[in-house]
Coordinates of all heavy atoms in Angstrom, one line a residue:
M1 N 0.8 -1.2 0.0 CA 0.0 0.0 0.0 C 0.9 1.3 0.0 O 1.8 1.4 0.8 CB -0.9 -0.1 1.3 CG -1.7 1.3 1.4 SD -3.0 1.2 2.6 CE -2.2 0.9 4.1
P2 N 0.7 2.2 -0.9 CA 1.5 3.4 -1.0 C 1.2 4.4 0.2 O 0.1 4.3 0.8 CB 1.2 4.0 -2.3 CG -0.2 3.5 -2.6 CD -0.3 2.1 -2.0
Y3 N 2.1 5.2 0.4 CA 1.9 6.2 1.5 C 0.8 7.2 1.1 O 0.6 7.6 0.0 CB 3.2 7.1 1.6 CG 3.1 8.2 2.6 CD1 3.1 8.1 4.0 CD2 3.0 9.5 2.1 CE1 2.9 9.1 4.8 CE2 2.9 10.6 2.9 CZ 2.9 10.5 4.2 OH 2.8 11.5 5.1
D4 N -0.1 7.4 2.1 CA -1.2 8.3 1.9 C -1.1 9.5 2.9 O -1.3 9.2 4.2 CB -2.5 7.6 2.1 CG -3.7 8.4 1.9 OD1 -3.6 9.7 1.7 OD2 -4.9 7.9 1.9
Q5 N -0.8 10.7 2.5 CA -0.5 11.8 3.4 C -1.7 12.1 4.3 O -1.7 12.6 5.4 CB -0.1 13.0 2.7 CG 0.3 14.2 3.5 CD 0.8 15.4 2.7 OE1 0.8 15.4 1.6 NE2 1.3 16.4 3.5
S6 N -2.9 11.9 3.8 CA -4.2 12.1 4.5 C -4.3 11.2 5.8 O -5.0 11.5 6.7 CB -5.4 12.0 3.7 OG -5.6 10.7 3.4
L7 N -3.6 10.1 5.9 CA -3.6 9.2 7.0 C -2.5 9.6 8.1 O -2.5 9.0 9.1 CB -3.4 7.8 6.5 CG -4.5 7.3 5.6 CD1 -4.1 5.8 5.1 CD2 -5.9 7.2 6.3
D8 N -1.7 10.5 7.7 CA -0.6 10.9 8.6 C -1.0 12.1 9.4 O -1.1 13.2 9.0 CB 0.6 11.3 7.8 CG 2.0 11.0 8.5 OD1 2.0 10.5 9.7 OD2 3.1 11.3 7.9
V9 N -1.2 11.9 10.8 CA -1.7 12.9 11.6 C -0.6 13.4 12.5 O 0.1 12.7 13.2 CB -2.9 12.3 12.5 CG1 -3.4 13.4 13.5 CG2 -4.0 11.8 11.7
S10 N -0.5 14.7 12.6 CA 0.6 15.4 13.4 C -0.1 15.9 14.6 O -1.0 16.6 14.5 CB 1.3 16.5 12.6 OG 2.1 17.3 13.4
S11 N 0.5 15.5 15.8 CA -0.1 16.1 17.0 C 0.9 17.1 17.7 O 0.5 17.8 18.7 CB -0.4 14.9 18.0 OG 0.8 14.2 18.3
F12 N 2.1 17.2 17.1 CA 3.1 18.2 17.6 C 4.1 18.4 16.6 O 4.5 17.5 15.8 CB 3.8 17.6 18.8 CG 4.9 18.4 19.4 CD1 4.6 19.4 20.4 CD2 6.2 18.3 19.0 CE1 5.6 20.2 20.9 CE2 7.2 19.2 19.5 CZ 6.9 20.1 20.5
K13 N 4.5 19.7 16.4 CA 5.6 20.0 15.5 C 6.1 21.4 15.8 O 5.5 22.3 16.1 CB 5.1 20.0 13.9 CG 6.2 20.3 13.0 CD 5.8 20.2 11.5 CE 7.0 20.4 10.6 NZ 6.7 20.4 9.3
E14 N 7.5 21.4 15.8 CA 8.2 22.6 16.1 C 9.5 22.6 15.3 O 10.1 21.6 15.1 CB 8.6 22.7 17.7 CG 9.0 24.1 18.1 CD 8.9 24.3 19.6 OE1 8.1 23.7 20.3 OE2 9.8 25.0 20.1
V15 N 9.9 23.8 14.7 CA 11.0 23.9 13.8 C 12.0 24.9 14.4 O 11.5 26.0 14.9 CB 10.5 24.4 12.4 CG1 11.6 24.6 11.5 CG2 9.5 23.4 11.9
I16 N 13.2 24.6 14.3 CA 14.2 25.5 14.7 C 15.1 25.9 13.5 O 15.6 25.0 12.8 CB 15.2 24.9 15.8 CG1 14.4 24.6 17.1 CG2 16.3 25.9 16.1 CD1 15.2 23.9 18.1
D17 N 15.3 27.2 13.3 CA 16.1 27.6 12.1 C 17.5 27.9 12.6 O 17.7 28.5 13.6 CB 15.4 28.9 11.5 CG 14.2 28.6 10.8 OD1 14.1 27.7 10.0 OD2 13.1 29.3 11.1
F18 N 18.4 27.5 11.8 CA 19.8 27.8 11.9 C 20.2 28.6 10.6 O 19.3 29.1 10.0 CB 20.7 26.5 12.1 CG 20.3 25.7 13.3 CD1 19.4 24.8 13.3 CD2 20.8 26.1 14.6 CE1 18.9 24.0 14.3 CE2 20.5 25.4 15.7 CZ 19.5 24.3 15.6
Q19 N 21.4 28.7 10.3 CA 21.8 29.6 9.1 C 21.1 29.1 7.8 O 20.2 29.8 7.3 CB 23.3 29.7 9.0 CG 23.9 30.4 10.0 CD 25.5 30.5 9.9 OE1 26.0 29.8 9.2 NE2 26.0 31.4 10.7
N20 N 21.6 28.1 7.2 CA 20.9 27.6 6.0 C 20.3 26.2 6.1 O 20.2 25.5 5.2 CB 22.0 27.6 4.9 CG 22.4 29.0 4.4 OD1 21.7 29.8 4.4 ND2 23.6 29.1 4.0
T21 N 20.0 26.0 7.4 CA 19.4 24.6 7.6 C 18.3 24.8 8.7 O 18.4 25.8 9.4 CB 20.5 23.6 8.1 OG1 19.8 22.3 8.1 CG2 21.0 24.0 9.4
R22 N 17.4 24.0 8.8 CA 16.4 23.9 9.9 C 16.1 22.5 10.2 O 16.1 21.6 9.4 CB 15.1 24.7 9.5 CG 14.3 24.2 8.4 CD 13.2 25.1 8.0 NE 12.4 24.6 6.8 CZ 11.5 25.3 6.2 NH1 11.3 26.6 6.6 NH2 10.9 24.8 5.2
I23 N 15.8 22.3 11.5 CA 15.5 21.0 12.1 C 14.0 21.0 12.6 O 13.7 21.9 13.4 CB 16.5 20.6 13.1 CG1 18.0 20.4 12.4 CG2 16.1 19.2 13.7 CD1 19.1 20.2 13.5
S24 N 13.3 20.0 12.2 CA 11.9 19.9 12.7 C 11.8 18.7 13.7 O 12.4 17.6 13.4 CB 11.0 19.6 11.5 OG 11.0 20.6 10.6
V25 N 11.1 18.9 14.8 CA 10.8 17.8 15.6 C 9.3 17.6 15.7 O 8.6 18.6 15.9 CB 11.3 18.1 17.1 CG1 10.9 17.0 18.1 CG2 12.8 18.3 17.1
G26 N 8.8 16.5 15.4 CA 7.4 16.3 15.4 C 6.9 15.0 16.0 O 7.7 14.0 16.1
V27 N 5.6 14.8 16.2 CA 5.0 13.5 16.7 C 3.9 13.3 15.7 O 3.0 14.1 15.4 CB 4.5 13.7 18.1 CG1 3.7 12.5 18.5 CG2 5.6 14.0 19.1
Y28 N 4.0 12.1 15.1 CA 3.0 11.7 14.1 C 2.5 10.3 14.3 O 3.1 9.4 15.0 CB 3.8 11.6 12.7 CG 4.3 13.0 12.3 CD1 5.6 13.4 12.6 CD2 3.5 13.8 11.5 CE1 6.1 14.6 12.2 CE2 4.0 15.0 11.1 CZ 5.3 15.5 11.4 OH 5.7 16.7 11.1
S29 N 1.3 10.1 13.9 CA 0.7 8.8 13.9 C 0.1 8.5 12.5 O -0.6 9.3 12.0 CB -0.5 8.8 15.0 OG -1.2 7.6 14.8
Y30 N 0.5 7.4 11.9 CA 0.0 7.0 10.6 C -1.1 6.0 10.7 O -0.9 4.9 11.3 CB 1.2 6.5 9.7 CG 0.8 6.2 8.3 CD1 0.7 7.3 7.5 CD2 0.5 5.0 7.8 CE1 0.3 7.1 6.1 CE2 0.2 4.7 6.5 CZ 0.1 5.8 5.7 OH -0.3 5.6 4.4
N31 N -2.3 6.4 10.1 CA -3.3 5.3 10.0 C -3.8 4.8 11.4 O -4.0 3.6 11.6 CB -3.0 4.3 9.1 CG -4.3 3.6 8.6 OD1 -5.4 4.0 8.7 ND2 -4.1 2.3 8.1
G32 N -3.7 5.6 12.4 CA -4.1 5.2 13.8 C -3.1 4.4 14.6 O -3.4 3.9 15.6
A33 N -1.9 4.3 14.1 CA -0.9 3.5 14.8 C -0.4 4.4 15.9 O -0.7 5.5 16.1 CB 0.3 3.3 13.8
P34 N 0.4 3.7 16.9 CA 0.9 4.5 17.9 C 1.8 5.7 17.5 O 2.4 5.7 16.4 CB 1.8 3.5 18.7 CG 1.3 2.2 18.3 CD 0.8 2.3 16.9
K35 N 1.8 6.8 18.2 CA 2.5 8.0 17.9 C 3.9 7.7 18.0 O 4.5 7.0 18.8 CB 2.2 9.1 18.9 CG 0.8 9.5 18.8 CD 0.5 10.6 19.9 CE -1.0 11.1 19.8 NZ -1.3 12.1 20.7
K36 N 4.7 8.4 17.0 CA 6.2 8.3 16.9 C 6.8 9.6 16.7 O 6.3 10.5 16.2 CB 6.6 7.4 15.7 CG 6.1 5.9 15.9 CD 6.5 5.1 14.7 CE 6.0 3.7 14.9 NZ 6.5 2.8 13.8
L37 N 8.0 9.7 17.3 CA 8.8 10.9 17.3 C 9.5 10.9 15.9 O 10.2 10.0 15.5 CB 9.8 11.0 18.4 CG 10.7 12.2 18.5 CD1 9.9 13.4 18.9 CD2 11.8 12.0 19.5
Q38 N 9.6 12.1 15.2 CA 10.3 12.2 14.0 C 11.2 13.5 14.0 O 10.7 14.6 14.5 CB 9.3 12.3 12.8 CG 10.0 12.6 11.5 CD 9.0 12.5 10.4 OE1 8.1 11.7 10.2 NE2 9.0 13.5 9.4
V39 N 12.4 13.3 13.6 CA 13.4 14.5 13.6 C 13.9 14.6 12.1 O 14.4 13.5 11.6 CB 14.5 14.3 14.6 CG1 15.4 15.5 14.6 CG2 14.0 14.1 16.0
T40 N 13.7 15.7 11.5 CA 14.1 15.9 10.1 C 14.9 17.1 9.9 O 14.8 18.1 10.7 CB 12.9 15.9 9.2 OG1 12.1 17.0 9.5 CG2 12.1 14.6 9.2
R41 N 15.7 17.2 8.8 CA 16.5 18.3 8.5 C 16.1 18.8 7.1 O 15.9 18.0 6.2 CB 18.0 18.0 8.5 CG 18.9 19.2 8.1 CD 20.3 18.9 8.0 NE 20.9 18.4 9.2 CZ 21.5 19.1 10.2 NH1 21.4 20.3 10.1 NH2 22.0 18.4 11.2
E42 N 16.1 20.1 6.9 CA 15.9 20.7 5.6 C 17.1 21.6 5.4 O 17.5 22.4 6.3 CB 14.6 21.4 5.4 CG 13.4 20.5 5.5 CD 12.2 21.4 5.5 OE1 11.7 21.7 6.5 OE2 11.6 21.6 4.4
N43 N 17.6 21.7 4.2 CA 18.8 22.6 3.8 C 18.2 23.6 2.8 O 17.4 23.2 2.0 CB 19.9 21.9 3.2 CG 20.7 21.2 4.3 OD1 20.7 21.5 5.4 ND2 21.3 20.0 3.9
Q44 N 18.6 24.8 2.9 CA 18.2 25.8 1.9 C 19.2 26.0 0.8 O 20.4 26.3 1.1 CB 18.0 27.2 2.6 CG 17.3 28.2 1.7 CD 17.0 29.5 2.5 OE1 17.7 29.8 3.4 NE2 15.9 30.0 2.1
I45 N 18.8 25.7 -0.4 CA 19.7 25.8 -1.6 C 19.0 26.6 -2.6 O 17.9 26.3 -3.0 CB 20.0 24.3 -2.1 CG1 20.7 23.5 -1.0 CG2 20.9 24.5 -3.4 CD1 20.8 22.1 -1.4
D46 N 19.6 27.7 -3.0 CA 19.0 28.7 -4.0 C 17.6 29.1 -3.6 O 16.7 29.0 -4.4 CB 19.0 28.0 -5.4 CG 20.4 27.7 -5.9 OD1 21.3 28.4 -5.5 OD2 20.5 26.7 -6.6
A47 N 17.4 29.4 -2.3 CA 16.1 29.9 -1.7 C 15.0 28.9 -1.7 O 13.9 29.2 -1.4 CB 15.6 31.2 -2.5
Q48 N 15.4 27.6 -2.0 CA 14.4 26.5 -1.9 C 14.8 25.6 -0.7 O 15.9 25.3 -0.5 CB 14.4 25.7 -3.2 CG 14.0 26.5 -4.4 CD 12.5 26.6 -4.4 OE1 11.8 26.0 -3.8 NE2 12.1 27.7 -5.1
W49 N 13.8 25.2 0.1 CA 14.0 24.2 1.1 C 13.9 22.8 0.6 O 13.1 22.4 -0.1 CB 13.0 24.4 2.3 CG 13.3 25.6 3.1 CD1 12.6 26.8 2.9 CD2 14.4 25.8 4.0 NE1 13.1 27.7 3.8 CE2 14.2 27.1 4.5 CE3 15.3 25.1 4.6 CZ2 15.0 27.7 5.4 CZ3 16.1 25.6 5.5 CH2 16.0 26.9 6.0
S50 N 14.9 21.9 1.0 CA 15.0 20.5 0.5 C 15.3 19.6 1.6 O 16.3 19.9 2.4 CB 16.1 20.5 -0.6 OG 16.6 19.3 -0.7
Y51 N 14.5 18.5 1.8 CA 14.8 17.5 2.8 C 16.1 16.8 2.5 O 16.4 16.5 1.4 CB 13.6 16.5 2.9 CG 12.4 17.1 3.6 CD1 11.3 17.5 2.8 CD2 12.3 17.1 5.0 CE1 10.2 18.0 3.5 CE2 11.2 17.6 5.6 CZ 10.1 18.0 4.9 OH 9.1 18.5 5.5
T52 N 16.8 16.4 3.6 CA 18.0 15.7 3.5 C 18.2 14.8 4.7 O 17.4 15.0 5.7 CB 19.2 16.8 3.4 OG1 20.4 16.0 3.2 CG2 19.4 17.5 4.7
K53 N 19.0 13.9 4.7 CA 19.2 13.0 5.8 C 19.7 13.8 7.0 O 20.6 14.7 6.9 CB 20.2 11.9 5.4 CG 20.5 10.9 6.4 CD 21.4 9.8 5.9 CE 22.7 9.8 6.6 NZ 23.5 8.7 6.1
L54 N 19.1 13.6 8.2 CA 19.6 14.3 9.4 C 21.0 14.0 9.7 O 21.8 14.9 9.9 CB 18.6 14.1 10.5 CG 19.0 14.8 11.8 CD1 18.9 16.3 11.6 CD2 18.0 14.3 13.0
G55 N 21.3 12.7 9.8 CA 22.7 12.3 10.1 C 23.2 13.0 11.4 O 22.7 12.8 12.4
R56 N 24.3 13.7 11.3 CA 24.9 14.2 12.4 C 24.5 15.7 12.7 O 24.1 16.4 11.8 CB 26.5 14.2 12.2 CG 27.1 12.8 12.1 CD 28.5 12.9 11.7 NE 29.0 11.5 11.5 CZ 30.3 11.3 11.3 NH1 31.2 12.2 11.2 NH2 30.6 10.0 11.1
M57 N 24.6 16.0 14.0 CA 24.2 17.4 14.3 C 25.4 18.1 15.1 O 26.1 17.4 15.8 CB 23.0 17.4 15.3 CG 21.7 17.0 14.7 SD 20.4 17.1 15.9 CE 20.6 15.6 16.7
S58 N 25.5 19.4 15.0 CA 26.5 20.1 15.7 C 26.0 20.2 17.2 O 24.9 19.9 17.5 CB 26.7 21.6 15.2 OG 25.4 22.2 15.5
K59 N 27.0 20.5 18.1 CA 26.6 20.7 19.5 C 25.5 21.7 19.7 O 24.6 21.5 20.4 CB 27.8 21.2 20.3 CG 27.6 21.2 21.8 CD 28.9 21.6 22.6 CE 28.6 21.7 24.0 NZ 29.8 22.0 24.8
E60 N 25.5 22.8 19.0 CA 24.5 23.8 19.0 C 23.2 23.3 18.6 O 22.2 23.6 19.3 CB 25.0 25.0 18.1 CG 23.9 26.1 18.0 CD 24.3 27.1 17.0 OE1 25.4 27.6 16.9 OE2 23.4 27.4 16.1
E61 N 23.2 22.6 17.5 CA 21.9 22.0 17.1 C 21.3 21.0 18.0 O 20.1 21.0 18.4 CB 22.1 21.3 15.7 CG 22.3 22.2 14.6 CD 22.7 21.5 13.3 OE1 23.3 20.3 13.3 OE2 22.6 22.1 12.2
A62 N 22.1 20.1 18.6 CA 21.6 19.1 19.5 C 21.2 19.8 20.8 O 20.1 19.4 21.4 CB 22.8 18.2 19.9
Q63 N 21.9 20.8 21.3 CA 21.4 21.5 22.5 C 20.1 22.2 22.2 O 19.3 22.3 23.2 CB 22.5 22.5 23.0 CG 23.7 21.9 23.6 CD 24.7 22.9 23.9 OE1 25.0 23.9 23.3 NE2 25.4 22.6 25.0
A64 N 19.8 22.7 21.0 CA 18.6 23.4 20.8 C 17.4 22.4 20.6 O 16.3 22.8 21.0 CB 18.8 24.2 19.5
I65 N 17.6 21.3 20.1 CA 16.4 20.3 19.9 C 16.1 19.4 21.1 O 15.0 19.0 21.2 CB 16.6 19.5 18.7 CG1 17.7 18.4 18.8 CG2 16.8 20.4 17.4 CD1 17.4 17.3 17.8
V66 N 17.0 19.3 22.0 CA 16.7 18.4 23.2 C 15.5 18.9 24.0 O 14.7 18.1 24.2 CB 18.0 18.2 24.0 CG1 17.7 17.5 25.4 CG2 19.0 17.3 23.3
P67 N 15.4 20.1 24.3 CA 14.2 20.6 25.1 C 13.0 20.4 24.2 O 11.9 20.1 24.8 CB 14.5 22.1 25.3 CG 16.0 22.3 25.2 CD 16.4 21.2 24.2
I68 N 13.1 20.5 23.0 CA 11.8 20.4 22.1 C 11.5 18.9 22.0 O 10.3 18.6 22.0 CB 12.2 21.0 20.6 CG1 12.4 22.5 20.8 CG2 11.0 20.6 19.7 CD1 12.8 23.1 19.6
M69 N 12.5 18.0 21.9 CA 12.2 16.6 22.0 C 11.5 16.2 23.3 O 10.7 15.4 23.2 CB 13.5 15.8 21.8 CG 14.1 15.9 20.4 SD 15.6 15.0 20.1 CE 15.0 13.4 20.2
I70 N 11.9 16.8 24.3 CA 11.3 16.6 25.7 C 9.7 16.9 25.6 O 8.9 16.2 26.0 CB 12.0 17.2 26.8 CG1 13.3 16.5 27.0 CG2 11.2 17.1 28.1 CD1 14.3 17.2 27.9
K71 N 9.5 18.1 25.0 CA 8.1 18.6 24.9 C 7.4 17.6 23.9 O 6.2 17.3 24.3 CB 8.1 20.0 24.3 CG 8.4 21.1 25.3 CD 7.9 22.4 24.8 CE 8.9 23.0 23.8 NZ 8.6 24.4 23.3
A72 N 8.0 17.1 22.9 CA 7.4 16.2 21.9 C 7.0 14.9 22.7 O 5.9 14.4 22.4 CB 8.3 16.0 20.8
I73 N 7.9 14.4 23.5 CA 7.7 13.2 24.1 C 6.5 13.3 25.1 O 5.6 12.4 25.2 CB 8.9 12.7 24.9 CG1 10.0 12.2 23.9 CG2 8.6 11.6 25.9 CD1 11.4 12.0 24.5
E74 N 6.3 14.5 25.8 CA 5.2 14.7 26.6 C 3.9 14.7 25.8 O 2.9 14.4 26.3 CB 5.4 16.0 27.4 CG 6.5 15.9 28.4 CD 6.9 17.3 29.0 OE1 6.3 18.4 28.6 OE2 7.7 17.4 29.9
A75 N 4.0 15.1 24.6 CA 2.8 15.1 23.7 C 2.4 13.8 23.2 O 1.3 13.7 22.7 CB 3.0 16.1 22.5
M76 N 3.3 12.8 23.5 CA 3.0 11.4 23.0 C 2.0 10.8 24.0 O 1.3 10.0 24.0 CB 4.2 10.6 22.8 CG 5.0 11.2 21.7 SD 6.7 10.4 21.6 CE 6.3 8.9 20.7

């Protein structure tokens, strides 16, 4: 069965902007399944935002998202 965006329900989402990148922390439930935490990165290239693999984070990025992750866990 292909992914259906209408079945993906977001109960929490917060975005932190850095220079040319932003990290999103969200809580999602797909098709009534248990809620899950999702962390994503987008890079800005030529004024367009593009999803990329999160991979590694700088100390600054990690320190900024940990409090948001705690809020997201509480929303689960």
Side-chain angles (χ1 to χ4, degrees):
M1 173 166 65
Y3 172 75
D4 182 351
Q5 187 175 5
S6 69
L7 298 175
D8 207 4
V9 179
S10 172
S11 59
F12 177 91
K13 184 172 182 183
E14 197 165 322
V15 179
I16 299 179
D17 289 310
F18 297 95
Q19 289 178 346
N20 290 329
T21 190
R22 61 186 179 193
I23 298 176
S24 302
V25 177
V27 175
Y28 296 89
S29 174
Y30 186 78
N31 199 19
K35 294 178 180 180
K36 294 184 179 180
L37 180 71
Q38 177 175 313
V39 182
T40 57
R41 179 188 299 275
E42 293 176 272
N43 289 330
Q44 189 173 35
I45 301 169
D46 300 328
Q48 296 285 339
W49 288 102
S50 154
Y51 283 99
T52 186
K53 185 170 113 176
L54 179 61
R56 299 176 183 182
M57 289 183 279
S58 68
K59 182 178 179 179
E60 175 187 312
E61 291 171 335
Q63 288 175 325
I65 71 160
V66 166
I68 296 171
M69 289 178 72
I70 291 170
K71 284 196 280 185
I73 291 168
E74 291 170 357
M76 296 173 83

